[in-house]
Amino acid sequence: MAAERIEDTIKKMMVERLFLKMKPEDIGDDTLLMEDLGVDSVSVFEIVVGLEEVFGVTFEDDEFDIQNFRTPRSVADYVRRKLASRDGA
Amino acid sequence: MSLSDEVFFVLSGGLKLLAVFQPANDRARFGILMVHPFGEEKKCAHRAFVETARALARHGVASLRFDLRGCGDSEGDFGEATVRSWIEDVRAAWGVLRERLPDAPLGLLGLRLGATLASRACRDVGPVRALVMWQPIVEGRAEISGELRRLLVQEMVSRGRAGRRRDEIQSRLERGEGTVALDGYPLTPAMYRDICAMRLSDDVPAWPACAGIVQFGRSSPRIEAFAREARCRLGIVALPPIWVRSDFIPGPSAGDLLAREAVLPFLDAE
């Protein structure tokens, strides 16, 4: 069985942790989290904590850049970089 | 709507604290003092407290909820409050509840920092028949670190990037320099030190036999581990975190759920 795409794992995690009233598959890879889903700073914090728990990565304080949290695709790219950095270390 | 709520002031340290006594619909078989959480979390959780108190009344449990000094409608300056002064407030409110219910067993119910204050107050008031802690702060230092991280995320959302690091902020607070605004509420160096020093495990020897922790939505491994070690009961309630979700307004059904699943089982555990 193929491994789940990181984007899809992130969408599931967001729906669960943010109590979004939609299905993960209804969220596009390029859906804007803040503008389209109404994600606010409280929810972004929940996403950060969720990513750390689900993927086992740690985000440093000076890495908090909104460009990494615009869409599921940008969040997934960020996670991939963190995983590569962790696994390559 | 309940017409039986009674609103008055409790005196603590020369300050008037707003309090609401909710009598039980019939004779009170138990009385509960409710202790609210810190800062913005109090605002988010307000309605949940009201609905829980009213639901408890229908189950024969009277309650007293009140605003700590510097919070809500109470007198005092939030920036001058300390954990010690808030414990003094809990003690004063407990005394009023005891006056109201001279014969009923009494317990403490708190949410987040309120739960940790309730736990700490078990050393100072008594006898406490039940302690119910909703998502308590287990380690103050870790909690503050998380709150500062949340602040950095807020800065990122509003400005594009977080402009500072937690260790810088913590160093300044530890040196007694300035305050940090958490959702607009001042975290002073004194309060920072007080909360950092709070460890729920320190209070366990003072807990009553009926002590329980309730989690919201999903279980935290950290709290599970703590509850195992402290040998206290653990429950989980299927509601979003009521202290951060200002878009979730609990109604009577949520209050009833909280009363039935997050309070009553812990009062009847003996």
Side-chain angles (χ1 to χ4, degrees), chain B residues 29-46:
Chain B
R29 64 181 177 89
F30 218 104
I32 286 287
L33 180 64
M34 302 173 74
V35 188
H36 66 72
F38 182 89
E40 187 75 357
E41 293 183 353
K42 175 194 189 299
K43 194 177 83 181
C44 293
H46 180 80

Side-chain angles (χ1 to χ4, degrees), chain B residues 251-267:
Chain B
S253 61
D256 196 55
L257 179 74
L258 285 164
R260 282 187 294 102
E261 296 189 8
V263 184
L264 295 172
F266 299 93
L267 307 186

Side-chain angles (χ1 to χ4, degrees), chain A residues 16-19 34 41-46 48-49 52 58-67 69, chain B residues 146-147 149-150 152-154 156-157 159-162 164-167 217-218 239-241 244-245 247:
Chain A
E16 181 190 335
R17 296 186 76 109
L18 306 184
F19 299 91
M34 290 174 206
S41 63
V42 172
S43 299
V44 173
F45 181 66
E46 195 62 31
V48 168
V49 174
E52 292 187 332
T58 303
F59 301 120
E60 301 300 330
D61 292 350
D62 49 14
E63 293 175 333
F64 286 134
D65 185 327
I66 200 64
Q67 296 304 327
F69 294 93
Chain B
E147 283 298 299
R149 197 178 199 211
R150 194 172 58 79
L152 299 185
V153 169
Q154 282 177 344
M156 173 185 74
V157 169
R159 301 175 198 165
R161 285 188 69 87
R164 47 189 173 163
R165 296 176 57 93
R166 272 174 294 178
D167 53 3
R218 61 178 176 278
L239 285 176
V244 291
R245 302 281 300 182
D247 57 339

Side-chain angles (χ1 to χ4, degrees), chain B residues 19-260:
Chain B
V20 181
F21 178 67
Q22 176 74 60
N25 286 7
D26 299 313
R27 182 175 169 275
R29 64 181 177 89
F30 218 104
I32 286 287
L33 180 64
M34 302 173 74
V35 188
H36 66 72
F38 182 89
E40 187 75 357
E41 293 183 353
K42 175 194 189 299
K43 194 177 83 181
C44 293
H46 180 80
R47 194 67 200 173
F49 264 39
V50 172
E51 295 292 354
T52 301
R54 291 178 180 169
L56 285 171
R58 294 192 287 274
H59 290 277
V61 177
S63 62
L64 182 71
R65 54 188 193 273
F66 72 105
D67 295 340
L68 295 162
R69 70 183 65 187
C71 303
D73 286 281
S74 289
E75 288 186 340
D77 184 338
F78 189 96
E80 293 176 1
T82 62
V83 165
R84 182 189 295 261
S85 66
W86 280 346
I87 292 288
E88 185 183 347
D89 296 345
V90 173
R91 202 163 45 225
W94 178 271
V96 169
L97 183 61
R98 173 47 76 206
E99 287 171 12
R100 295 285 171 132
L101 302 169
D103 301 321
L106 301 185
L108 286 154
L109 163 67
L111 171 62
R112 303 275 296 134
L113 183 67
T116 311
L117 290 172
S119 165
R120 179 63 51 92
C122 287
R123 303 174 182 184
D124 301 316
V125 300
V128 179
R129 283 285 296 276
L131 170 66
V132 186
M133 295 166 282
W134 288 358
Q135 208 84 30
I137 290 171
V138 176
E139 289 283 344
R141 184 170 290 279
E143 175 65 23
I144 287 286
S145 182
E147 283 298 299
L148 294 177
R149 197 178 199 211
R150 194 172 58 79
L151 175 67
L152 299 185
V153 169
Q154 282 177 344
E155 290 182 356
M156 173 185 74
V157 169
S158 60
R159 301 175 198 165
R161 285 188 69 87
R164 47 189 173 163
R165 296 176 57 93
R166 272 174 294 178
D167 53 3
E168 297 164 358
I169 301 171
Q170 288 168 301
S171 294
R172 290 200 63 202
L173 286 166
E174 279 162 15
R175 291 197 302 269
E177 296 173 2
T179 64
V180 175
L182 293 176
D183 300 311
Y185 296 87
L187 176 67
T188 61
M191 183 61 83
Y192 170 79
R193 283 192 296 269
D194 280 1
I195 295 179
C196 281
M198 293 186 90
R199 293 190 315 169
L200 204 56
S201 57
D202 292 344
D203 306 324
V204 174
W207 285 0
C210 283
I213 291 177
V214 176
Q215 302 182 90
F216 285 70
R218 61 178 176 278
S219 189
S220 152
R222 181 180 196 162
I223 289 187
E224 274 182 25
F226 175 81
R228 266 197 309 274
E229 195 163 321
R231 295 182 180 178
C232 74
R233 296 184 64 202
L234 190 62
I236 188 160
V237 64
L239 285 176
I242 53 175
W243 58 97
V244 291
R245 302 281 300 182
S246 57
D247 57 339
F248 172 67
I249 310 296
S253 61
D256 196 55
L257 179 74
L258 285 164
R260 282 187 294 102

Side-chain angles (χ1 to χ4, degrees), chain A:
Chain A
M1 195 168 73
E4 186 173 64
R5 292 191 319 143
I6 289 179
E7 282 83 350
D8 294 334
T9 306
I10 290 169
K11 290 173 196 174
K12 279 184 191 169
M13 182 271 289
M14 287 198 310
V15 167
E16 181 190 335
R17 296 186 76 109
L18 306 184
F19 299 91
L20 297 177
K21 294 179 175 60
M22 58 175 57
K23 295 175 183 168
E25 53 269 29
D26 293 338
I27 303 173
D29 287 355
D30 295 311
T31 296
L32 295 168
L33 302 187
M34 290 174 206
E35 293 84 345
D36 297 337
L37 299 183
V39 165
D40 58 10
S41 63
V42 172
S43 299
V44 173
F45 181 66
E46 195 62 31
I47 291 171
V48 168
V49 174
L51 292 172
E52 292 187 332
E53 283 184 14
V54 170
F55 295 104
V57 294
T58 303
F59 301 120
E60 301 300 330
D61 292 350
D62 49 14
E63 293 175 333
F64 286 134
D65 185 327
I66 200 64
Q67 296 304 327
N68 296 322
F69 294 93
R70 290 236 175 264
T71 64
R73 191 191 305 279
S74 65
V75 177
D77 287 343
Y78 183 37
V79 169
R80 284 190 194 93
R81 291 198 300 275
K82 293 296 295 183
L83 290 172
S85 167
R86 183 194 67 184
D87 297 340

